[in-house]
């Protein structure tokens, strides 16, 4: 993880909203030590996950932030006037600003000019590197174990599963690296490429570059998955990431009880049985890089403990693979499955 | 097909090069009536496919071109000085210019300024429309039969197969439409989106838009396929196109004798048996839009007639589906398979 940065998380009006704060929650969970405050004028003086909530940028300065991070999705993904005012205040107070929304800060000419004058950086985490290329095949000679999270739908916790497995692997002393492929992962890890934002031709090339860079950082790579192989909207990103990151192993992620892909028109879009998803991922892997699903991560959020254990047991029974909810019950069992596969 | 345009095909130094003239050859084959001349100063006075070759833009003017089309790939996909001179001459003589290379004409500020002054258009066929979005599900309610060409590799003739089937269907009086997804197809048909040039998030959205637009033009849509589902570099584009164009039927394209995906590092990248490719495409189709492979198009270029017939027969035996080479033996048999599937 990148050091030195001390974050002020910008979450105006939404710091306790369960739907729009994926980045804030991810950073608070996996990078808590680097966060000095959350900005939300509607909750000034309270705390969020033990972190002080401040009402203005000026109020945070005593805590020594270096970097403001846009931590919540704004209405329509754009920056309304009150947000522009906050962003300007950050820049005026000498903070770099990091942003993972679709709209780019650096395209606001007034803000950019102000940032130039103040000598601070505006970092748009979804902006792809300018010099991407098509995949070269270097991914297939990377000297590392590559584990990709895949799933039955978007937004069911693939990033979280990768992060939990990385954390547990590092606890065990393995040279483990989380490889970020989306804006929240990038905000957490301090590097990466938002693969869904690259030109389609360069999808596998971007993923290849990430595993090449990951292998320079460690030898057990947890690549953050994107989308789903049967997702009507994002499957192209998913398959480009599968072939470009060239994993030897998959962790299949599923949300307990989910039977249809959500939030997509033209449906219903039923999710096939997990055992079919296991087989489909293995068959769609490159012949030059056979890959297998070694375990199933079950997201049991919202279930009581008994129902959660049942959901895990039923995923095991259905697939014949070890299953667990790494957030709820710890990542040990899934990590054992991965390490066991490496040794076998 | 768009009317009114009269093309001068720019092919300087490469008008008889078998490797770099895909656009020129496609337009000459499927839009011959709209081509007035080919420009190649190294072959001035000769003919190419019966079309006069001229040595300069000025020499073509008597033939009445309205539009210059970049017909060959240049070295490294960029425009060297001699090409810039030709492009300027086109603009100075009042011709619009169409270009399907990766480098955009409209990013050459001198050329753009000249074009503005002369009131002509520079059309970069690979430039995506600016207002693309993610797929909405509208693709699944399009009132048309959608047939997508898929294949065992890139560059084995998927576009050609779609064009031949469209031509044959129109000969039979069907309201048939070729739906272009790449620069050559766009140059031929006069509309379309180069799906590999869009931002990855919008892959399925771009494909959806193409079939929605196609359905406004006819009711039997031949969508030009891209890449291959097991192509290490371009599979993301392929799957985004599969799910976004939402075909009911596939035509599987294969080049006789090809056993490995070509031109990709990290290999060998073996091509699975055709019967496996048939099954894989059917299984990777959206549950909300089941699709099946109805026939196999075999590219037998370079084989003698007996060997070609053997290759076709062996594709039939292997898959249990009708097979043929539509370029060599006509598209009738494959079209029969598609029409039969519609009626069954």
């Amino acid at each position: 993880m990148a050091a030195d940065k001390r974050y002020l998380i910008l979450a105006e009006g939404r710091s306790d909203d369960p739907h729009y704060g994926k980045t804030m929650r991810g950073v608070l969970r996996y990078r808590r030590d680097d966060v000095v405050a959350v900005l939300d004028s509607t909750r000034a003086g309270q705390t969020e996950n033990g972190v002080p909530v401040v009402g203005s940028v000026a109020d945070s300065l005593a805590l020594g932030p270096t970097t403001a991070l846009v931590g919540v999705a704004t209405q329509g993904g754009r920056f309304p006037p009150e947000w522009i005012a906050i962003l300007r205040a950050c820049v005026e107070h000498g903070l770099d600003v990091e942003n993972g929304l679709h709209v780019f800060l650096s395209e606001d000419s007034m803000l950019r000019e102000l940032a130039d004058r103040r000598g601070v950086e505006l970092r748009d985490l979804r902006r792809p590197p300018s010099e991407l290329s098509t995949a070269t095949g270097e991914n297939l000679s990377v000297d590392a174990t590559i584990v990709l999270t895949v799933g039955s739908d978007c937004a069911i916790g693939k990033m979280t599963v990768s992060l939990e497995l990385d954390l547990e692997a590092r606890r065990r002393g393995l040279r483990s690296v989380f490889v970020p492929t989306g804006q929240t992962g990038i905000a957490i890890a301090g590097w990466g490429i938002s693969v869904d934002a690259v030109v389609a031709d360069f999808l596998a090339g971007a993923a290849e570059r990430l595993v090449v860079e990951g292998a320079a950082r460690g030898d057990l790579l947890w690549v953050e998955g994107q989308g789903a192989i049967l997702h009507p909207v994002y499957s192209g990103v998913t398959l480009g990431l599968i072939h470009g990151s060239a994993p030897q192993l998959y962790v299949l992620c599923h949300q307990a009880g989910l039977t249809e892909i959500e939030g997509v028109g033209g449906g219903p879009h039923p999710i096939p049985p997990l055992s079919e998803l296991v087989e489909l991922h293995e068959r769609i892997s490159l012949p030059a890089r056979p890959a297998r699903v070694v375990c199933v991560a079950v997201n049991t959020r919202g279930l009581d403990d008994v129902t959660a254990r049942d959901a895990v047991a039923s995923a095991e029974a259905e697939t014949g693979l070890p299953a667990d909810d790494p957030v709820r019950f710890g990542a040990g069992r899934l990590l054992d499955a991965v390490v066991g596969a490496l040794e076998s």
Side-chain angles (χ1 to χ4, degrees), chain A:
Chain A
M1 306 275 164
D4 310 322
K5 286 185 202 169
R6 293 168 58 80
Y7 283 115
L8 169 64
I9 298 183
L10 307 180
E12 182 62 16
R14 287 187 167 173
S15 62
D16 54 0
D17 188 308
H19 299 300
Y20 296 96
K22 188 176 170 188
T23 297
M24 182 186 72
R25 284 195 307 277
V27 172
L28 281 178
R29 183 173 176 99
Y30 298 103
R31 205 175 175 178
R32 166 74 169 282
D33 293 348
D34 298 324
V35 180
V36 300
V38 169
L39 187 151
D40 181 354
S41 67
T42 67
R43 292 182 59 215
Q46 303 179 22
T47 59
E48 175 64 33
N49 261 300
V51 171
V53 178
V54 296
S56 69
V57 179
D59 288 350
S60 76
L61 296 179
L63 302 165
T66 62
T67 307
L69 172 67
V70 177
V72 297
T74 58
Q75 189 79 39
R78 316 226 157 256
F79 291 113
E82 65 272 24
W83 267 88
I84 295 286
I86 292 170
L87 295 167
R88 282 201 196 137
C90 292
V91 171
E92 274 161 6
H93 285 105
L95 305 186
D96 296 330
V97 185
E98 296 188 352
N99 158 53
L101 301 191
H102 279 71
V103 62
F104 291 156
L105 292 176
S106 50
E107 282 170 8
D108 180 320
S109 56
M110 281 184 64
L111 198 62
R112 204 178 51 213
E113 198 185 298
L114 190 61
D116 288 346
R117 215 160 53 228
R118 293 287 318 189
V120 305
E121 272 188 64
L122 303 177
R123 287 190 287 268
D124 289 302
L125 305 179
R126 283 181 57 78
R127 184 191 289 281
S130 54
E131 73 306 7
L132 284 175
S133 65
T134 52
T136 64
E138 193 182 352
N139 45 2
L140 294 168
S141 55
V142 160
D143 185 21
T145 298
I146 304 167
V147 188
L148 174 67
T149 42
V150 293
S152 54
D153 195 355
C154 292
I156 56 167
K158 290 185 293 290
M159 180 189 76
T160 302
V161 169
S162 295
L163 284 162
E164 292 290 344
L165 282 160
D166 171 53
L167 209 56
E168 178 65 17
R170 284 186 288 127
R171 277 194 207 107
R172 294 194 192 171
L174 299 173
R175 290 189 65 233
S176 168
V177 177
F178 168 72
V179 178
T181 63
Q183 61 267 26
T184 302
I186 296 170
I188 293 170
W191 69 289
I193 301 173
S194 212
V195 293
D196 61 0
V198 309
V199 166
D201 248 357
F202 297 157
L203 257 172
E208 174 181 77
R209 186 163 149 162
L210 287 171
V211 293
V212 169
E213 185 166 343
R217 295 166 180 249
D219 44 34
L220 175 55
L221 311 185
W222 305 96
V223 181
E224 176 192 2
Q226 294 290 340
I229 195 88
L230 287 176
H231 195 285
V233 177
Y234 300 119
S235 59
V237 174
T238 307
L239 191 59
L241 181 55
I242 286 176
H243 288 165
S245 68
Q248 296 95 352
L249 305 174
Y250 298 113
V251 174
L252 177 64
C253 303
H254 179 58
Q255 175 148 355
L258 200 68
T259 58
E260 288 176 12
I261 286 181
E262 298 197 317
V264 177
H269 295 286
I271 293 172
L274 290 184
S275 54
E276 243 187 84
L277 282 178
V278 168
E279 196 200 338
L280 199 52
H281 282 93
E282 293 180 348
R283 290 189 61 176
I284 205 76
S285 303
L286 290 182
R289 175 53 62 90
R292 61 196 170 103
V293 179
V294 285
C295 57
V296 182
V298 185
N299 181 339
T300 64
R301 193 169 45 179
L303 303 182
D304 65 44
D305 269 8
V306 173
T307 320
R309 296 263 179 218
D310 282 354
V312 166
S314 117
E316 288 211 356
E318 200 187 328
T319 60
L321 296 169
D324 212 340
D325 183 337
V327 173
R328 185 172 203 146
F329 302 121
R333 182 164 165 73
L334 298 185
L335 184 59
D336 289 345
V338 169
V339 170
L342 291 184
E343 287 163 355
S344 74

